[in-house]
């Protein structure tokens, strides 16, 4: 169902021979590594996921492969770091080798598509959103027990996005309307029926209160919890001030649907956006000289952007696209203007992506690296950096239309794991911020948990076969 460790890491852990356990020769491995990303971010990633300098001095290796866990533990016992414990780098070097690829184990299931699955920032809660109007919050430390079952208000077609506040006291959920609803998830009541058992406050993003004016695809809290940023299908970005209870900024940001928005870092000054106009844009709220003018534009995708995830440093982010790729970006390479669209295709992403355009490169591609293998069809499939604490953001992972979760190495671009279980599109997935646990949510209605090494008491699920056919595109 997946590889517990990546190809190079398994080889390093078990032996130092010329042929790895999967049969690849050293020349084949070197060929793969020869296309590795050569950029500042690759050095930062390697630094964050490599052993500390003190341990590296003591333990000599014959290759660039990771130092084995046994040797790392021996070095810790010998106090090679001089601190009596592992440094954060040492922890990442050990933990990043063990991928959450065993299982899966059941978390929840409904007769409705699962659109969202996200761990809270501290990993104690899991949020899952379903098309049937349910948003469920699970207590991870109590065996994924349902802590809050929210029945959404004014739902149109599906839950498109959810987001927990930084203090984890409130949750917002969105649909294809200009109203974002906010719920107090810290209350004692488990069942939360809109305006029956609890109030679901409506935050109106429209200027005239017209609930048919537009829909919201993406929403994020600012780090201080005082603002929300939203991307909409009226080609705009909205910023809502929760203290003032009003929209404080509307940017006519793109020429098509804004499918994804996120804050670049903790400051809240920079915002990244991605649209069906194929462009990623960077917005600096400190210097919006002209209305709708971004700080910069990043070109390279041939089709619409479905999701953006920031590395959190205000410099790098990744984007998932309907051109069946993930791209890695450095905003220092952005342009002031974009030329006319490279390709205006009539392709509909409810259909298979045309094979003859899969390897076409944008003539003005500004991305640092491109990751291929997964499929992005039918819905706004999401991608992320792996956690900084446990992996040093060494990996990129994504759901896929082919019912799998893909995990790529950021530097080499290699596919290090493919998790197969679901019977329909995996729209969202989330890697626990501390432990090697990953949760995936699928249109087959299932939320599943992947782990390393896994809980032997919980039997792995048989592959789900629903036989259902789905329409819809969001």
């Amino acid at each position: 169902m997946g590889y517990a460790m990546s190809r190079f890491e398994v080889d390093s852990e078990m032996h130092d021979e010329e042929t790895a356990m999967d049969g690849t020769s050293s020349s084949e491995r070197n060929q793969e590594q020869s296309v590795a990303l050569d950029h500042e971010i690759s050095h930062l990633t390697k630094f964050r996921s490599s052993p500390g300098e003190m341990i590296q001095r003591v333990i000599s290796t014959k290759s660039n492969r990771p130092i084995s866990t046994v040797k790392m533990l021996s070095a810790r016992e010998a106090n090679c770091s001089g601190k009596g414990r592992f440094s954060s780098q040492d922890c990442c070097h050990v933990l990043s080798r063990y991928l959450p690829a065993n299982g899966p184990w059941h978390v929840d299931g409904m007769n409705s598509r699962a659109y969202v699955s996200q761990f809270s920032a501290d990993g104690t809660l899991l949020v899952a959103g379903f098309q049937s109007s349910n948003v469920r919050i699970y207590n991870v430390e109590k065996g994924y027990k349902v802590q809050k079952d929210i029945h959404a208000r004014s739902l149109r077609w599906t839950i498109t996005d959810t987001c927990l506040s930084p203090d984890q006291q409130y949750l917002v959920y969105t649909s294809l309307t200009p109203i974002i609803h906010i719920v107090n998830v810290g209350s004692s009541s488990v069942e939360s029926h809109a305006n029956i058992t609890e109030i679901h406050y409506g935050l109106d993003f429209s200027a005239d209160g017209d609930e048919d004016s537009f829909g919201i695809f993406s929403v994020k809290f600012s780090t201080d919890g005082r603002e929300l940023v939203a991307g909409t299908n009226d080609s705009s970005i909205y910023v809502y001030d929760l203290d003032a209870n009003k929209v404080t900024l509307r940017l006519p940001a793109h020429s098509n649907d804004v499918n994804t928005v996120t804050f670049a870092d903790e400051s809240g000054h920079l915002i990244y956006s991605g649209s069906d106009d194929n462009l990623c844009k960077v917005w600096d709220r400190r210097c919006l000289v002209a209305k709708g003018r971004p700080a910069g534009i990043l070109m390279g995708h041939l089709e619409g952007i479905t999701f953006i995830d920031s590395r959190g440093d205000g410099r790098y982010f990744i984007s998932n696209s309907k051109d069946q790729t993930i791209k890695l970006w450095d905003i220092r390479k952005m342009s002031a203007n974009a030329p006319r669209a490279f390709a205006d295709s009539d392709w509909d992403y409810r259909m298979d992506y045309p094979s003859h355009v899969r390897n076409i490169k944008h003539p003005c591609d500004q991305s640092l690296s491109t990751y291929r293998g997964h499929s992005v069809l039918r819905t706004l499939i999401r991608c992320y950096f792996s956690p900084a604490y446990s992996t040093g953001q060494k990996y990129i992972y994504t759901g896929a239309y082919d019912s799998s979760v893909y995990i790529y190495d950021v530097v080499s671009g290699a596919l290090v794991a493919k998790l197969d279980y679901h019977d329909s599109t995996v729209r969202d997935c989330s890697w626990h911020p501390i432990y090697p646990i990953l949760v995936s949510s699928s249109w087959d209605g299932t939320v599943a948990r992947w782990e390393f090494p896994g809980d032997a008491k919980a039997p792995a699920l048989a592959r789900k076969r629903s036989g259902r056919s789905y329409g819809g595109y969001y």
Side-chain angles (χ1 to χ4, degrees):
M1 294 207 180
Y3 303 103
M5 302 170 69
S6 74
R7 175 181 303 165
F8 306 117
E9 292 164 340
V10 169
D11 188 30
S12 172
E13 180 74 17
M14 301 304 295
H15 56 76
D16 290 324
E17 298 175 5
E18 286 300 307
T19 302
M21 292 177 64
D22 62 1
T24 58
S25 67
S26 59
S27 62
E28 290 173 324
R29 295 196 302 275
N30 289 337
Q31 184 177 6
E32 288 188 30
Q33 289 175 309
S34 67
V35 297
L37 177 64
D38 184 17
H39 184 273
E40 179 187 52
I41 190 173
S42 65
H43 302 295
L44 290 172
T45 302
K46 289 176 180 177
F47 175 78
R48 292 176 65 173
S49 58
S50 297
E53 184 179 352
M54 297 294 291
I55 287 183
Q56 289 193 61
R57 286 179 182 176
V58 174
I59 303 176
S60 60
T61 58
K62 299 178 181 179
S63 68
N64 292 325
R65 289 174 291 189
I67 299 172
S68 74
T69 303
V70 173
K71 290 182 179 179
M72 290 291 295
L73 291 171
S74 298
R76 186 184 67 178
E77 291 301 309
N79 194 23
C80 292
S81 67
K83 300 179 180 179
R85 56 182 173 80
F86 278 155
S87 66
S88 59
Q89 286 179 258
D90 299 332
C91 290
C92 280
H93 185 72
V94 174
L95 289 173
S96 65
R97 331 177 51 174
Y98 302 102
L99 301 180
N102 293 346
W105 290 268
H106 183 76
V107 174
D108 203 355
M110 299 188 71
N111 291 322
S112 172
R113 299 180 224 179
Y115 270 72
V116 178
S117 56
Q118 284 296 298
F119 283 109
S120 60
D122 64 2
T124 60
L125 301 176
L126 172 69
V127 178
F130 298 85
Q131 188 179 16
S132 61
S133 83
N134 290 83
V135 181
R136 289 181 173 173
I137 301 176
Y138 309 88
N139 190 314
V140 174
E141 296 176 337
K142 294 183 178 180
Y144 296 87
K145 179 182 178 181
V146 176
Q147 181 170 303
K148 199 80 170 177
D149 190 359
I150 299 168
H151 298 262
R153 176 187 178 189
S154 304
L155 189 72
R156 182 166 295 163
W157 179 249
T158 185
I159 298 287
T160 54
D161 202 3
T162 67
C163 190
L164 275 172
S165 62
D167 62 6
Q168 299 179 188
Q169 292 300 302
Y170 296 92
L171 178 135
V172 292
Y173 61 84
T174 67
S175 187
L176 296 178
T177 75
I179 310 294
I180 290 181
H181 291 94
I182 186 167
V183 185
N184 183 351
V185 299
S187 64
S188 59
S189 174
V190 174
E191 293 289 327
S192 179
H193 291 267
N195 297 350
I196 298 176
T197 60
E198 290 185 328
I199 299 298
H200 293 195
Y201 292 97
L203 310 177
D204 192 351
F205 280 60
S206 66
D208 54 8
D210 182 3
E211 292 195 10
D212 294 321
S213 53
F214 58 86
I216 296 173
F217 287 135
S218 177
V219 64
K220 291 290 185 297
F221 270 101
S222 60
T223 304
D224 60 13
R226 295 180 177 180
E227 292 181 314
L228 294 169
V229 62
T232 70
N233 64 0
D234 70 344
S235 310
S236 301
I237 297 172
Y238 291 79
V239 176
Y240 194 98
D241 187 313
L242 292 168
D243 291 334
N245 196 28
K246 65 179 182 179
V247 172
T248 55
L249 178 66
R250 176 184 178 268
L251 294 170
H254 290 266
S255 61
N256 211 321
D257 295 353
V258 179
N259 295 324
T260 176
V261 289
T262 190
F263 289 102
D265 55 21
E266 294 183 352
S267 72
H269 297 311
L270 292 180
I271 296 172
Y272 300 146
S273 64
S275 166
D276 273 337
D277 64 10
N278 309 353
L279 299 175
C280 299
K281 293 186 179 182
V282 181
W283 307 86
D284 190 337
R285 298 168 62 192
R286 295 165 296 186
C287 53
L288 289 172
V289 179
K291 190 174 183 180
R293 185 183 179 92
I297 299 170
L298 289 156
M299 299 164 284
H301 280 302
L302 302 176
E303 299 289 346
I305 317 300
T306 64
F307 198 74
I308 283 176
D309 185 44
S310 173
R311 195 168 179 267
D313 53 13
R315 182 172 296 173
Y316 301 104
F317 68 91
I318 55 173
S319 57
N320 219 357
S321 171
K322 299 172 187 179
D323 65 11
Q324 317 302 296
T325 69
I326 294 172
K327 286 185 178 290
L328 172 65
W329 309 90
D330 181 345
I331 69 170
R332 292 171 297 182
K333 294 172 67 70
M334 63 190 181
S335 303
N337 298 292
R340 294 185 61 184
F342 169 59
D344 290 319
S345 121
D346 292 329
W347 170 70
D348 186 328
Y349 84 139
R350 290 171 293 181
M351 304 181 293
D352 289 340
Y353 194 63
S355 58
H356 68 278
V357 297
R358 284 184 180 271
N359 295 316
I360 293 178
K361 184 177 174 64
H362 194 294
C364 303
D365 191 352
Q366 298 165 296
S367 65
L368 302 179
S369 188
T370 302
Y371 308 85
R372 303 177 187 273
H374 63 292
S375 51
V376 182
L377 300 167
R378 300 284 291 277
T379 187
L380 304 178
I381 293 172
R382 301 175 166 195
C383 65
Y384 304 93
F385 286 100
S386 62
Y389 173 82
S390 59
T391 72
Q393 296 178 301
K394 183 179 179 179
Y395 304 108
I396 289 170
Y397 63 102
T398 179
Y401 172 71
D402 68 1
S403 313
S404 303
V405 176
Y406 288 73
I407 304 176
Y408 299 100
D409 186 287
V410 169
V411 176
S412 71
L415 176 66
V416 297
K418 181 185 176 187
L419 313 184
D420 292 319
Y421 158 66
H422 291 287
D423 196 37
S424 189
T425 302
V426 176
R427 185 180 188 267
D428 202 6
C429 45
S430 184
W431 197 313
H432 193 280
I434 301 172
Y435 303 115
I437 300 171
L438 186 145
V439 166
S440 55
S441 53
S442 168
W443 276 10
D444 64 13
T446 302
V447 179
R449 183 180 88 251
W450 308 80
E451 295 186 0
F452 185 94
D455 184 356
K457 297 179 181 179
L461 300 171
R463 184 171 174 83
K464 189 177 179 70
R465 293 290 181 185
S466 66
R468 286 177 290 183
S469 176
Y470 296 109
Y473 331 118
Y474 300 107

